């Protein structure tokens, strides 16, 4: 057993071999090496207690050295900060701590809490707290870590890093692990981008979550029911830094980079509500692959008689777009003149159609009546066509939602429906393809305005 002085917890020390955090540490036996052990002598924590003083005053002495990293379980921080409530208030507390619901399965909620963490029940926990109570996470875990670090510097004269830890489940992986939710004086991320590996390959995306790896190492010796809420890592002084380090908040992925931000049903609802009509686009090119993925979603729409009554004409070249839009403009102007409109009125109306002309990509959805039944009865034949039109609309809605999921804006404009022969001629389409408007696609030039709230009850009749 390695001797850590009087601060070692019996049977609770681990020596990390080569390949410890960052591949560095104190040199022992020619390899990179670190040590981690849990502290004994930390008393039960109550509201108002000073965590740093409890650690400094532990018996046996913690024996801390400059460059050590302390891993402090968030529960004792919550107790010291008075973040204890009656268990009967748990659901209300989860609501209060929740910023948004990520996924819900029955009574289980995975949420983003006010600290920006994605976790079950907003971190409201009934373990390691007296019966009838539950614990909330610290209000500001990074601030808590800074206070503990400063307190240990004052009490013991040591420069240590501090990580506040909590237990998380993880998507795609069974089991729980400890992660860093607060940090002070620790380089929480080790950015290796631009560094070459042992084969000379440049690393392009490798950023190591050092603080999380340390938290997990500490959990191996602290345990969940041993009464040892603090662990020490020694031999990784290179991860200890100054007070200017950003803290564990830097580990939270921002929304724009989060590809898995929502659960399945929540993602569907979010995508549906995120679909907005966008009329102004940037000049950025549209990825044809993204459009094809959206079309693959579009063609899953329901349709009558097991048919597939949709075709999507993708105008990916400027020449094709201008050929269509110029032909449509000329036909529209001719119609407006035939209606007796003034040249000024005509020019104003044509300008309103610029949403298609200014888009970097156009899609022309077409209705194809292959497989439709013919009854010889005008009423039934009209209803048959309506079924196919409804199916085309469902496919277009799927398409618009899927485009929003690809971060593409869109505007569905009806204009091609008023000059179908012109469109078919300009695009060389078969006679049986009926254009159902045109969809402008591109990167939105500005965030959409807030959507007016619509109460579902206003559109529901129950019988």
């Amino acid at each position: 057993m390695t001797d850590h002085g009087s601060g070692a917890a019996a049977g609770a020390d681990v020596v990390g071999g080569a390949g410890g955090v960052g591949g560095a540490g104190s040199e022992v036996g020619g390899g990179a090496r670190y040590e981690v052990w849990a502290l004994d002598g930390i008393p039960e924590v109550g509201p108002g207690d000073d965590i740093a003083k409890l650690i400094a005053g532990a018996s046996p002495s913690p024996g801390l050295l400059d460059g050590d990293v302390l891993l402090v379980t968030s529960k004792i921080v919550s107790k010291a900060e008075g973040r204890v409530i009656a268990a009967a208030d748990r659901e209300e507390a989860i609501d209060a701590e929740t910023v948004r619901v990520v996924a819900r399965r029955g009574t289980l909620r995975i949420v983003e809490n006010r600290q920006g963490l994605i976790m079950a029940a907003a971190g409201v926990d009934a373990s390691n707290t007296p019966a009838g109570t539950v614990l909330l996470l610290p209000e500001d875990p990074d601030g808590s870590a800074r206070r503990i670090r400063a307190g240990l510097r004052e009490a013991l004269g040591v420069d240590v890093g501090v990580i506040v830890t909590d237990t998380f489940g993880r998507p795609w992986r069974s089991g729980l692990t400890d992660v860093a939710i607060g940090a002070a004086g620790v380089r929480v991320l080790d950015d290796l981008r631009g560094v070459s590996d042992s084969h000379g390959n440049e690393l392009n995306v490798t950023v190591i979550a050092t603080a999380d790896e340390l938290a997990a190492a500490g959990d191996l010796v602290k345990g969940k029911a041993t009464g040892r809420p603090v662990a020490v890592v020694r031999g990784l002084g290179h991860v200890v830094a100054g007070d200017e380090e950003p803290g564990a908040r830097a580990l939270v992925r921002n929304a724009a980079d989060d590809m898995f931000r929502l659960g399945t049903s929540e993602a569907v609802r979010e995508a549906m509500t995120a679909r907005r009509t966008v009329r102004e686009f940037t000049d950025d090119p549209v990825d044809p692959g993204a459009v094809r993925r959206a079309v693959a979603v579009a063609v899953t729409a329901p349709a009558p008689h097991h048919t597939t009554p949709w075709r999507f004409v993708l105008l990916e070249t400027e020449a094709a777009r201008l050929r269509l839009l110029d032909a449509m403009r000329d036909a529209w102007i001719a119609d407006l003149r035939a209606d007796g409109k003034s040249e000024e009125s005509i020019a104003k109306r044509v300008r309103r159609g610029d949403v298609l002309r200014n888009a970097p990509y156009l899609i022309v959805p077409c209705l194809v009546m292959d497989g439709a039944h013919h009854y010889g009865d005008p009423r039934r034949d009209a209803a048959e066509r309506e079924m196919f039109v409804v199916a085309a609309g469902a496919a277009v809605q799927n398409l618009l939602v899927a485009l929003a999921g690809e971060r593409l804006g869109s505007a569905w404009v009806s204009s091609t429906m008023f000059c179908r022969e012109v469109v078919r001629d300009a695009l060389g389409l078969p006679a049986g393809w009926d254009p159902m408007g045109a969809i402008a696609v591109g990167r939105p030039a500005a965030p959409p305005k807030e959507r007016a709230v619509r109460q579902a009850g206003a559109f529901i009749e129950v019988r």
Side-chain angles (χ1 to χ4, degrees):
M1 177 175 174
T2 305
D3 180 12
H4 306 291
S6 58
D13 64 321
V14 174
V15 178
V21 177
S26 54
E27 293 296 329
V28 180
R33 182 181 180 118
Y34 68 90
E35 303 165 284
V36 55
W37 68 96
L39 293 181
D40 278 328
I42 306 295
E44 180 64 29
V45 176
D49 282 344
D50 187 320
I51 300 293
K53 289 182 178 178
L54 293 180
I55 294 171
S59 180
S61 169
L64 298 178
L65 301 177
D66 288 349
D68 287 347
V69 179
L70 269 78
L71 308 165
V72 182
T73 302
S74 63
K75 288 181 176 59
I76 67 168
V77 179
S78 295
K79 291 177 181 179
E81 295 178 357
R83 301 279 286 163
V84 184
I85 63 169
D89 298 330
R90 184 173 186 268
E91 292 303 313
E92 183 179 341
I94 294 172
D95 291 340
E97 295 292 303
T98 295
V99 173
R100 66 182 178 90
V101 175
V102 174
R104 186 192 301 267
R105 296 292 182 273
T107 59
L108 174 63
R109 282 181 282 173
I110 306 299
V111 306
E112 178 184 349
N113 67 14
R114 292 190 290 114
Q115 292 87 352
L117 304 171
I118 307 294
M119 57 196 314
V124 179
D125 196 351
S127 63
N128 289 297
T129 186
T133 66
V134 294
L135 294 172
L136 312 181
L137 289 179
E139 284 269 7
D140 176 12
D142 284 332
S144 302
R146 288 192 296 270
R147 287 189 292 274
I148 295 171
R149 171 176 158 88
L152 290 170
R153 183 185 293 133
E154 180 180 348
L156 300 176
V158 291
D159 186 25
V160 298
V162 174
I163 295 175
V164 177
T165 71
D166 198 62
T167 304
F168 273 38
R170 300 156 298 161
W172 310 295
R173 304 285 288 181
S174 295
L176 304 173
T177 186
D178 263 23
V179 301
I181 66 168
V186 177
R187 295 186 178 93
V188 297
L189 292 167
D190 188 8
D191 191 346
L192 300 181
R193 290 173 295 183
V195 176
S196 295
D197 65 15
S198 58
H199 295 280
N201 302 308
E202 183 174 316
L203 303 177
N204 296 316
V205 296
T206 305
V207 181
I208 305 299
T210 305
D212 284 346
E213 293 187 328
L214 289 165
D219 190 46
L220 291 174
V221 295
K222 287 188 296 180
K224 299 298 183 190
T226 62
R228 294 188 178 109
V230 179
V232 180
V233 173
R234 180 166 294 165
L236 296 175
H238 66 285
V239 306
V240 176
D243 293 330
E244 74 283 354
E245 289 298 316
R249 185 75 188 195
L251 293 161
V252 177
R253 192 186 301 277
N254 65 54
D257 296 331
D258 188 351
M259 296 175 66
F260 310 100
R261 189 164 168 77
L262 297 166
T264 304
S265 59
E266 292 76 17
V268 171
R269 287 194 295 271
E270 179 74 11
M272 296 291 285
T273 56
R275 190 224 54 83
R276 306 291 297 278
T277 296
V278 175
R279 299 183 181 279
E280 295 183 5
F281 304 96
T282 68
D283 294 330
D284 296 334
V286 171
D287 175 16
V291 175
R292 283 160 174 76
R293 290 192 293 272
V295 171
V297 175
V299 299
T300 65
H305 314 317
H306 306 288
T307 60
T308 53
W310 330 276
R311 301 294 184 272
F312 295 90
V313 184
L314 311 182
L315 305 188
E316 296 185 338
T317 67
E318 184 178 18
R321 294 192 295 273
L322 290 178
R323 184 167 64 251
L324 171 65
L325 296 175
D326 288 348
M328 289 174 58
R329 180 194 58 199
D330 293 345
W332 191 14
I333 289 174
D335 284 346
L336 291 171
R337 284 175 176 160
D339 290 340
K341 302 295 183 183
S342 69
E343 293 301 314
E344 180 182 358
S345 173
I346 291 172
K348 186 180 296 185
R349 290 167 183 261
V350 169
R351 281 196 300 272
R352 287 204 295 269
D354 282 348
V355 61
L356 296 179
R357 195 170 290 273
N358 294 336
Y361 198 105
L362 294 181
I363 303 172
V364 178
C366 294
L367 170 66
V368 178
M369 294 287 290
D370 293 349
H373 293 175
H374 299 282
Y375 300 97
D377 177 347
R379 177 181 59 82
R380 297 174 71 189
D381 286 340
E384 181 80 358
R385 179 176 174 79
E386 286 179 3
M387 286 198 304
F388 277 74
V389 170
V390 168
V396 170
Q397 171 71 352
N398 278 8
L399 178 71
L400 300 179
V401 171
L403 289 171
E406 297 281 352
R407 297 186 182 180
L408 291 169
S410 62
W412 185 16
V413 180
S414 63
S415 51
T416 68
M417 299 172 68
F418 293 88
C419 54
R420 285 176 169 148
E421 287 296 339
V422 172
V423 175
R424 283 191 285 261
D425 183 60
L427 299 180
L429 303 181
W433 290 24
D434 283 348
M436 303 297 287
I439 301 169
V441 181
R443 299 288 175 188
K449 296 179 181 179
E450 288 293 326
R451 186 193 298 273
V453 176
R454 293 175 180 171
Q455 298 299 331
F459 304 93
I460 296 174
E461 291 289 337
V462 177
R463 296 290 186 272

